Amino acid sequence: MEAPQFTPFTGHREYPAEEMQQRATDFAATMRQRRTVRQFSSRAVPRGVIEASLDAAASAPSGANMQPWHFVVVSDAGVKRKIRVAAEQEERAFYEGRASPEWLEALAPLGTDADKPYLETAPYLIVVFAQPYRLEPDGRRLKHYYVSESVGIATGVLITALHLAGLATLTHTPSPMGFLNTLLDRPDHERPFVILVAGYPTNDARVPVIAKKPLSDIVSSV
């Protein structure tokens, strides 16, 4: 077993209490402006913005530092078209019989349906894969830990980074998603986690009238 190695931590920056409060308040206000949109412009987005946002996502903590994720950036029109066709096939099955009445009722205020044009229109789809294990060069399987938690945190960082860069996002999770392994040439042991749509919203984009729960409903102190 390899002995741990340590280095001085120099990345922390402390702020005066008043500035710290202001920074936290400003960030919360910025994130409150984030909305999931479904009307995306085809306007080009600089590739560097996507890569820098992915670099931020890659900084996320993970179980035993295994970093059990892989991101596939899709910008090719033909591949996006194939993803849309396959996703809509699963979505039609969902809306026409796979979903329970309760699930459909929960989705009703969002106005969603089986049509997913944004999968083809948006300049980028970022498909996030979770890796339960990785294959070593000698064929051994190296188990990963807390995979869903780790990939979920990284995806949250990615959404935040894209929002702060001025882009809109949408999380899409057709079920099942195994077709993504085939279309994107990913190994069978990787599990599609989410399709993250990224780009500019259209000028006439509309979002559902919904509200987030107040802190009094989701936070308690002991």
Side-chain angles (χ1 to χ4, degrees):
M1 182 179 297
E2 184 178 349
Q5 297 182 352
F6 295 90
T7 187
F9 174 46
T10 59
H12 178 68
R13 182 176 179 182
E14 187 172 325
Y15 301 94
E18 183 177 345
E19 182 181 354
M20 181 167 55
Q21 180 64 62
Q22 188 62 55
R23 290 171 67 90
T25 301
D26 290 347
F27 180 73
T30 297
M31 294 310 299
R32 283 283 177 175
Q33 294 173 344
R34 188 209 63 79
R35 290 298 304 270
T36 293
V37 303
R38 291 177 171 81
Q39 294 87 38
F40 281 86
S41 168
S42 60
R43 186 156 54 109
V45 169
R47 173 76 181 213
V49 173
I50 302 299
E51 292 180 351
S53 298
L54 287 167
D55 193 33
S59 74
S62 61
N65 193 39
M66 292 296 185
Q67 304 164 63
W69 46 64
H70 185 86
F71 304 91
V72 179
V73 181
V74 182
S75 59
D76 180 85
V79 178
K80 288 192 294 181
R81 173 64 182 171
K82 291 178 180 178
I83 290 175
R84 177 186 177 181
V85 169
E88 287 185 339
Q89 180 177 342
E90 298 297 347
E91 291 292 287
R92 282 191 293 272
F94 172 82
Y95 281 95
E96 294 173 5
R98 190 181 295 158
S100 66
E102 292 81 7
W103 198 342
L104 293 176
E105 183 178 356
L107 289 172
L110 304 180
T112 60
D113 56 31
D115 295 326
K116 311 297 178 184
Y118 44 76
L119 294 175
E120 199 170 359
T121 305
Y124 286 105
L125 306 179
I126 304 173
V127 183
V128 184
F129 286 87
Q131 301 172 327
Y133 60 88
R134 74 167 179 260
L135 292 174
E136 295 290 89
D138 60 6
R140 290 182 299 116
R141 293 184 179 186
L142 183 62
K143 179 179 173 60
H144 291 163
Y145 302 94
Y146 298 102
V147 174
S148 294
E149 295 86 346
S150 301
V151 177
I153 294 170
T155 301
V157 173
L158 177 57
I159 291 170
T160 301
L162 292 168
H163 175 67
L164 293 178
L167 296 177
T169 57
L170 168 91
T171 54
H172 181 50
T173 52
S175 180
M177 291 194 286
F179 64 86
L180 291 167
N181 291 74
T182 301
L183 292 179
L184 301 178
D185 195 28
R186 297 308 305 165
D188 291 340
H189 74 275
E190 291 189 353
R191 174 173 54 86
F193 186 80
V194 68
I195 301 173
L196 185 62
V197 185
Y200 298 106
T202 60
N203 292 333
D204 60 351
R206 297 167 63 84
V207 295
V209 179
I210 59 175
K212 298 297 185 182
K213 295 178 180 179
L215 290 184
S216 58
D217 284 0
I218 63 171
V219 178
S220 58
S221 300
V222 294

